[in-house]
Amino acid sequence: MRYRIETWGCQMNVHDSEKLAGVLEGLGYHGTQEAASADLLLLNTCSIREKAEEKAFSFLGSLRALKQMRPQLIIGLCGCVAQQEGEEIFKRSDLVDFVLGPRAIASLPLLLDEVRTRRSRPLDRGLRDDSVRFDGRLARRNPGPRAFLTIMEGCNKTCTYCIVPTTRGRELSKPAAAVVQEAEFVAGQGYREVELLGQNVNAYRDGKVHLGDLLGLLQGVDGIRRLRFTTSHPAHLSDAIVQAMRDCPTVCNALHLPVQSGSDAVLERMRRGYTVRRYRDRVDRLRAAVPGIALSTDIIVGYPGETGEEFDATLRLLQDVEFDQVYSFVFSPRPGTDAAGEPDDGEQALKESRLHELQQRQREIQLRKNQALVGCVTEVLVDGFSRMGDSILKGRTRCNRVVNFPGPGSLVGEYACVEIQSAGPNSLEGRRIAAVRP
Ligand code: 5AD
Ligand code: SF4
């Protein structure tokens, strides 16, 4: 039996697909690259914006001919759209055999059994927190030097635009001992970098152990020289976490800290729980504690009622903070969220031109910052070949910048010392000068 998983969305979803793959391989399934030869197809969907959801449904539609040719093909709709839409999915498409929410991964064998034996169309979106309880050692992780590791699930915040609390449920943390065990396990499998995952990792708690303590506990894991965590919430980024970033040698000098807007009025309407001043104070503390830290962020443009001045405030924030990377999106109303019910007379074309302007300005900032690195020598963890060609390797610096350089395939998964020779807004190019001993 062959399976294929299509994945959309964030790292959490990518890692959930690895867990689904682990469950399937435990049942004797083998992976295949081609949907056409699969007996089981899982669509692991994202619903953060309408476009993401549409992509999954249009992919689903493209499977009609295949399903007609091979009626025994089983199609499962998983992930955040599954959680959000539930039964509706069966009405919307006759191609879907079962629906599985992101917190019910361990139920996959049961659902498959029901599809096969009872010919029913089962659904499980029970919020049983099993992606935290799920033994991450069973995941079939993708090849490469970096392993994802779920430390918590869900989000208790109430940001008005966000569907995630609906799709991922309430916060729940994985016990620290299980996190350490899993990190040791992946280190034993040869992974060099661990990225701790959660929708709001700063809220991690196991009894008295908070995220800063957890980072400390993970320092003892042999073989893991790079530790990252995502996603952080500015209102929860405590001094203890900042200190742990400073004091733990394996914690990388990079942080994703979504700000969403540079206007206090918009932040308040979004119910983000911080002001621009407080956000900037966090940035100052981070930069003082962790020299050279790279900061990335998320921005939503065109939130309902966003005025020209409010948008300008976001541009000013970008100009002042000079982020190393910005992920920006036009606001997309999501079903059942508070923001979707707010009056919004902003024209889509204006929102898109604002987005374009913001991205243009940010490109210039990134280009300038990256060009300042030309001539530097940096440690790169090689994760594979670049799209530029077979003899060009691609890797990341500790501060998460992409570096391309010529080198042999034997370096994949290894550290290399690279001198930066040129820079674009999104990546650096260089040459290898000497291998660093792992
Ligand atoms: N519309 C547009 N962008 C959104 N995001 C979350 N919800 C929405 C929405 N309804 C963005 C936020 C978040 C990132 C993962 O996606 O910036 O940080
Ligand atoms: Fe998409 Fe959010 Fe779900 Fe990740 S958690 S897959 S970003 S909706």
Side-chain angles (χ1 to χ4, degrees):
M1 297 284 260
R2 307 210 153 259
Y3 75 92
R4 164 141 187 92
I5 308 178
E6 295 289 336
T7 309
W8 293 268
C10 62
Q11 290 103 318
M12 290 295 269
N13 245 27
V14 172
H15 187 37
D16 281 353
S17 288
E18 295 177 331
K19 293 175 189 166
L20 291 163
V23 172
L24 290 174
E25 299 205 353
L27 294 174
Y29 279 83
H30 299 281
T32 170
Q33 292 301 313
E34 293 159 40
S37 65
D39 304 289
L40 171 65
L41 271 173
L42 298 184
L43 279 53
N44 195 8
T45 60
C46 167
S47 62
I48 196 87
R49 285 167 292 276
E50 202 179 348
K51 250 190 220 148
E53 194 177 335
E54 276 167 11
K55 273 189 210 157
F57 280 106
S58 80
F59 181 81
L60 182 62
S62 76
L63 297 175
R64 181 163 300 281
L66 190 64
K67 180 101 174 174
Q68 272 162 358
M69 231 162 53
R70 307 180 56 209
Q72 76 282 13
L73 168 69
I74 297 176
I75 299 179
L77 201 119
C78 314
C80 290
V81 175
Q83 193 66 35
Q84 180 197 305
E85 308 263 333
E87 288 282 347
E88 283 301 308
I89 292 166
F90 292 132
K91 290 188 201 149
R92 199 164 157 180
S93 175
D94 58 338
L95 297 171
V96 176
D97 294 296
F98 69 90
V99 171
L100 180 75
R103 282 172 92 151
I105 290 173
S107 304
L108 178 60
L110 230 92
L111 266 66
L112 283 173
D113 209 42
E114 279 186 43
V115 174
R116 271 207 225 89
T117 56
R118 281 191 238 142
R119 310 246 156 252
S120 62
R121 297 174 91 193
L123 169 139
D124 192 336
R125 47 175 192 168
L127 287 177
R128 286 186 310 276
D129 307 316
D130 80 355
S131 50
V132 167
R133 297 214 174 96
F134 187 93
D135 183 347
R137 292 173 297 186
L138 300 176
R140 192 196 177 285
R141 289 184 162 84
N142 296 326
R146 178 180 52 167
F148 291 135
L149 201 167
T150 306
I151 61 165
M152 66 181 297
E153 257 293 345
C155 181
N156 290 357
K157 308 295 289 178
T158 54
C159 305
T160 53
Y161 51 81
C162 191
I163 193 85
V164 171
T166 319
T167 62
R168 298 266 177 180
R170 305 285 293 168
E171 286 168 5
L172 190 84
S173 298
K174 182 180 280 189
V179 174
V180 173
Q181 230 176 31
E182 199 176 325
E184 283 166 350
F185 178 81
V186 297
Q189 286 184 316
Y191 289 97
R192 303 295 176 91
E193 178 175 317
V194 165
E195 183 155 356
L196 307 175
L197 298 182
Q199 268 86 27
N200 182 10
V201 279
N202 298 163
Y204 177 87
R205 273 265 162 207
D206 174 22
K208 286 200 176 119
V209 178
H210 60 70
L211 179 65
D213 301 324
L214 186 66
L215 296 174
L217 290 172
L218 289 165
Q219 295 309 296
V221 178
D222 239 16
I224 302 299
R225 232 163 74 178
R226 289 183 177 191
L227 194 55
R228 304 183 194 276
F229 54 93
T230 200
T231 293
S232 289
H233 190 293
H236 293 254
L237 189 75
S238 63
D239 284 338
I241 298 173
V242 176
Q243 275 157 25
M245 290 191 76
R246 180 195 63 196
D247 297 339
C248 296
T250 71
V251 175
C252 290
N253 53 344
L255 191 72
H256 185 60
L257 196 62
V259 65
Q260 312 299 358
S261 168
S263 148
D264 280 340
V266 175
L267 289 175
E268 201 178 325
R269 297 209 293 283
M270 290 176 165
R271 241 188 272 132
R272 285 290 286 171
Y274 54 86
T275 57
V276 176
R277 205 166 132 196
R278 192 176 142 91
Y279 182 89
R280 292 174 70 136
D281 172 65
R282 291 290 111 188
V283 169
D284 291 344
R285 283 170 198 239
L286 278 163
R287 285 183 166 158
V290 188
I293 188 169
L295 290 172
S296 55
T297 201
D298 291 339
I299 304 271
I300 297 178
V301 169
Y303 187 79
E306 183 190 70
T307 63
E309 287 86 60
E310 287 167 348
F311 174 65
D312 287 344
T314 299
L315 290 181
R316 265 200 308 280
L317 179 76
L318 254 55
Q319 220 66 49
D320 291 352
V321 173
E322 298 199 308
F323 291 101
D324 297 272
Q325 181 129 32
V326 172
Y327 303 89
S328 50
F329 320 94
V330 169
F331 168 74
S332 166
R334 307 308 295 129
T337 59
D338 287 346
E342 280 186 35
D344 186 6
D345 54 8
E347 281 183 23
Q348 198 62 19
L350 176 67
K351 295 184 180 199
E352 284 179 13
S353 81
R354 282 182 185 167
L355 181 73
H356 185 74
E357 181 179 354
L358 181 145
Q359 289 177 340
Q360 195 53 40
R361 297 259 194 116
Q362 181 57 29
R363 258 178 90 82
E364 287 159 18
I365 293 170
Q366 281 175 212
L367 184 63
R368 188 163 16 92
K369 289 191 84 169
N370 284 348
Q371 279 178 344
L373 297 172
V374 172
C376 294
V377 173
T378 178
E379 180 199 79
V380 175
L381 179 55
V382 183
D383 48 41
F385 286 102
S386 138
R387 270 174 293 179
M388 294 157 81
D390 266 2
S391 54
I392 310 289
L393 298 170
K394 175 177 72 73
R396 283 184 186 264
T397 64
R398 282 180 72 83
C399 58
N400 224 7
R401 286 192 170 83
V402 174
V403 180
N404 299 305
F405 65 99
S410 57
L411 276 180
V412 174
E414 303 292 330
Y415 295 95
C417 222
V418 177
E419 183 191 358
I420 304 304
Q421 294 174 303
S422 65
N426 295 310
S427 63
L428 309 168
E429 258 103 69
R431 69 180 179 106
R432 184 171 158 234
I433 51 173
V436 175
R437 288 177 74 82

